[in-house]
Amino acid sequence: MNKVTECARIIGIVPVLILLAGCVATTARKAVECSNILMNGGFEEPAQESTLPHCYGAWSHNKNSELWKTSLDRTTAYEGKNSVKMEIAGRCSAWLYTKYYAAEPGKTYTISFYSKGKGLFGKDGTDGVGMQCWFFGKDFKKVSTKKAVLFPVGEKWTRITTVVTMPKNAYYITPVVHFSGEHIAIWVDGMQMEKGNTATPFVGGPSLEELVLSQKPLVFGPEDNLTDSNIASVSFRA
């Protein structure tokens, strides 16, 4: 079972009737006030012995598993204890993707993350790490993609920021970290999505409990079995 499905099963248990009204009000208020829309943006909620954090998946068009490897690195982080490490042993591209997030059509959002890396990066903008975004309509069908601008990263944590405006026919967004290169290692941490066109200091994001108590819609996906044939219209679990 993949981590996204595990998250979906957790949400399937709720809503739960909670009689402690004061506690509910406090937790719900915390969720509303949290500037980071992304759950587990600091990758601090992995399953025991997990290779990826909760609610994230990884994919590559290259079927040779020896060329790329995604892992949860518990030895280095921008903040907290964990980061995600992408290792590419040959010429390859790979993606770290989140679940669906509800967003307002026509509104502007800022998506950011911290990254560092080592290895040889090309100078023509084809190698490095960047933020790609997939946009989906009410029926969860893909309506458009914002391609990533790739940046080579050094051995110090650097924040990479992307400002996106939701298409008028899009109601959901999936932020996707795009990696590309040859014989490189890239670490990612501190993912954040927030309203407006300015990146504010990173915060960990709402917990599953806080989102449930705030009564915001929760929709999970995508699956971990992406293929060349369906990458253009990614299959999601509602």
Side-chain angles (χ1 to χ4, degrees):
M1 180 184 298
N2 60 48
K3 303 303 173 292
V4 174
T5 305
E6 289 179 11
C7 289
R9 291 186 62 186
I10 293 172
I11 292 302
I13 300 172
V14 296
V16 177
L17 295 177
I18 301 177
L19 300 179
L20 300 176
C23 178
V24 172
T26 300
T27 308
R29 182 166 59 252
K30 284 172 61 181
V32 171
E33 292 174 353
C34 186
S35 60
N36 189 0
I37 297 171
L38 302 182
M39 293 168 51
N40 196 23
F43 309 139
E44 298 303 307
E45 298 178 16
Q48 194 172 23
E49 299 181 356
S50 174
T51 57
L52 282 174
H54 280 321
C55 304
Y56 290 83
W59 181 86
S60 176
H61 56 75
N62 197 310
K63 303 302 184 295
N64 185 348
S65 60
E66 296 182 358
L67 289 183
W68 67 285
K69 177 184 177 183
T70 311
S71 60
L72 191 65
D73 192 334
R74 294 176 171 85
T75 65
T76 184
Y78 169 74
E79 60 81 41
K81 298 180 180 179
N82 302 328
S83 64
V84 171
K85 181 181 181 181
M86 177 68 75
E87 298 173 273
I88 296 179
R91 172 57 57 185
C92 186
S93 289
W95 291 264
L96 176 73
Y97 56 84
T98 70
K99 72 177 192 68
Y100 285 128
Y101 285 92
E104 297 180 56
K107 296 294 184 179
T108 297
Y109 295 84
T110 297
I111 306 172
S112 58
F113 63 92
Y114 288 85
S115 185
K116 67 176 184 176
K118 62 181 181 181
L120 298 176
F121 292 93
K123 297 181 180 180
D124 57 358
T126 60
D127 288 357
V129 61
M131 177 58 64
Q132 186 175 105
C133 295
W134 299 336
F135 302 102
F136 300 86
K138 285 184 176 180
D139 56 0
F140 301 107
K141 291 184 179 180
K142 193 175 182 184
V143 297
S144 64
T145 297
K146 178 179 174 62
K147 293 184 177 181
V149 177
L150 300 179
F151 299 92
V153 286
E155 296 185 3
K156 294 183 178 181
W157 288 104
T158 300
R159 197 176 200 183
I160 296 175
T161 300
T162 301
V163 177
V164 300
T165 298
M166 291 290 294
K168 293 184 178 180
N169 60 341
Y171 293 82
Y172 298 95
I173 181 173
T174 293
V176 185
V177 181
H178 182 181
F179 306 86
S180 184
E182 185 175 6
H183 303 296
I184 61 173
I186 300 177
W187 288 261
V188 171
D189 197 7
M191 284 187 63
Q192 181 156 291
M193 174 178 166
E194 54 195 311
K195 294 181 179 180
N197 57 8
T198 302
T200 62
F202 172 74
V203 294
S207 68
L208 290 172
E209 181 185 16
E210 288 171 337
L211 282 175
V212 169
L213 292 174
S214 70
Q215 299 182 356
K216 292 183 178 180
L218 297 170
V219 183
F220 285 82
E223 299 288 7
D224 285 338
N225 59 346
L226 303 184
T227 64
D228 287 331
S229 61
N230 70 13
I231 187 65
S233 56
V234 181
S235 175
F236 285 77
R237 179 192 300 275

